[in-house]
């Protein structure tokens, strides 16, 4: 979105990154590659083009009463789960961003760009974390109006990578928490191999999860339910993370419905930049 805005001569008032980690870096947070890409590519690019870059840290904008998203979950003996109304996104991203939005643009109507890619039209229409559910507005609050430029410009993930290549910029991997329930088995295997201390902390978080009211166990990557004839949940398929990462990872190969590529670009995380990334940055 940033590269296309500059190419199309669209003036952005700000680019915002909402950090879910703590200032001391003690808790699991984003993958290191995300921080590297922001510092080495995004911030310099914004500076060259005179665009305000905001890094929302947990000191200025706390995750409710905690120093990080991980600490917030730990204190409540909860785990992140892959559900439409993801509480982790609400408390660590949406709430903090909207507080900053009012601080930065009090009382203004603000167009907020969201990076859902082309092909995610249904998600853009229904995702509750895209600002659809607003709290009661107070006097002086900024008014948020969402826009989905990648969908408007027919930019799928494959085409987004081509945009970065044409700009001679390093290709980022996907941005995600290191303990995200949308991670693939390959992502978790990479975390356990490259960041074993972080993996152990996430395993400990999962082990602290309280049983459901029916006495059932949940895990980050195992929440599919088996139900009885009445529809009541009788069991969750709940492999722990050490169990989940066993065996080989076989990625699902699927075509891109937008650009027609035989193999759709995958969202991988955690490895810094893609292997074919150029080392020189465009001015």
């Amino acid at each position: 979105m940033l590269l296309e805005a500059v190419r199309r001569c669209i003036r952005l008032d700000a680019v915002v990154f909402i950090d879910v980690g703590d200032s001391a870096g003690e808790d699991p947070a984003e993958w290191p590659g995300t921080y590297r890409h922001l510092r080495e590519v995004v911030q310099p690019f914004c500076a060259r083009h005179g665009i305000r870059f905001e890094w929302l840290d947990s000191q200025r904008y706390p995750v409710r009463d905690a120093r990080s998203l991980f600490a917030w979950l730990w204190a409540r003996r909860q785990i992140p789960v892959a559900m439409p109304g993801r509480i982790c996104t609400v408390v660590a991203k949406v709430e903090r961003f909207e507080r900053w939005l009012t601080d930065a643009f009090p009382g203004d109507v603000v167009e907020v760009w969201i990076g859902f890619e082309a092909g995610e039209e249904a998600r853009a229409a229904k995702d509750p974390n895209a600002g659809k559910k607003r709290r009661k507005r107070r006097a002086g609050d900024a008014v948020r109006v969402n826009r989905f430029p990648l969908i408007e410009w027919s930019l799928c993930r494959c085409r987004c990578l081509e945009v970065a290549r044409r700009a001679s910029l390093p290709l980022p991997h996907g941005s995600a928490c290191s303990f995200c329930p949308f991670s693939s088995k390959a992502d978790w295997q990479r975390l356990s191999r490259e960041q074993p201390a972080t993996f152990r902390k996430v395993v400990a978080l999962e082990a602290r999860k309280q049983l459901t009211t029916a006495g059932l166990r949940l895990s980050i990557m195992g929440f599919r339910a088996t139900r009885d004839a009445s529809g009541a949940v009788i069991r969750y398929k709940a492999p722990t993370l050490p169990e989940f990462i066993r065996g080989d990872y076989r990625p699902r190969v699927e075509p891109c419905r937008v650009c027609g590529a035989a193999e759709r670009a995958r969202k991988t995380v955690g490895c810094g930049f893609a292997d074919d990334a150029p080392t020189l940055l465009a001015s």
Side-chain angles (χ1 to χ4, degrees), residues 108-256:
D108 290 349
V109 177
V110 184
E111 182 176 277
V112 176
W113 287 16
I114 300 174
F116 292 178
E117 65 180 293
E120 292 188 302
E121 289 78 4
R123 181 186 175 198
K126 298 179 181 179
D127 194 310
N129 293 319
K132 297 289 185 181
K133 292 184 179 180
R134 297 189 181 91
R135 57 179 170 77
K136 187 176 180 180
R137 186 166 174 254
R138 303 165 300 182
D141 280 359
V143 179
R144 174 178 175 173
V145 178
N146 291 334
R147 183 178 175 185
F148 302 89
L150 298 183
I151 292 175
E152 293 177 21
W153 301 333
S154 297
L155 290 176
C156 56
R157 191 174 302 154
C158 316
R159 287 172 173 168
C160 285
L161 293 177
E162 288 305 314
V163 168
R165 287 191 180 98
R166 286 198 301 269
S168 298
L169 289 170
L171 307 178
H173 283 291
S175 171
C177 294
S178 57
F179 48 98
C180 180
F182 289 97
S183 299
S184 67
K185 177 184 283 192
D187 297 330
W188 287 112
Q189 289 174 336
R190 185 179 302 118
L191 184 69
S192 68
R193 183 173 62 251
E194 297 179 1
Q195 299 183 69
T198 296
F199 183 74
R200 288 194 295 270
K201 289 180 180 180
V202 180
V203 169
L205 175 73
E206 183 181 69
R208 281 173 55 85
K209 175 70 176 76
Q210 302 176 82
L211 299 179
T212 68
T213 54
L216 302 176
R217 182 169 64 92
L218 285 173
S219 60
I220 294 175
M221 296 304 295
F223 41 82
R224 296 175 185 170
T226 299
R227 301 177 184 272
D228 61 20
S230 68
V233 176
I234 58 175
R235 183 176 64 86
Y236 283 102
K237 182 182 179 182
T240 63
L241 286 173
E243 295 168 334
F244 180 77
I245 65 173
R246 294 173 186 165
D248 296 330
Y249 171 65
R250 297 180 177 85
R252 183 176 62 184
V253 176
E254 56 183 353
C256 180

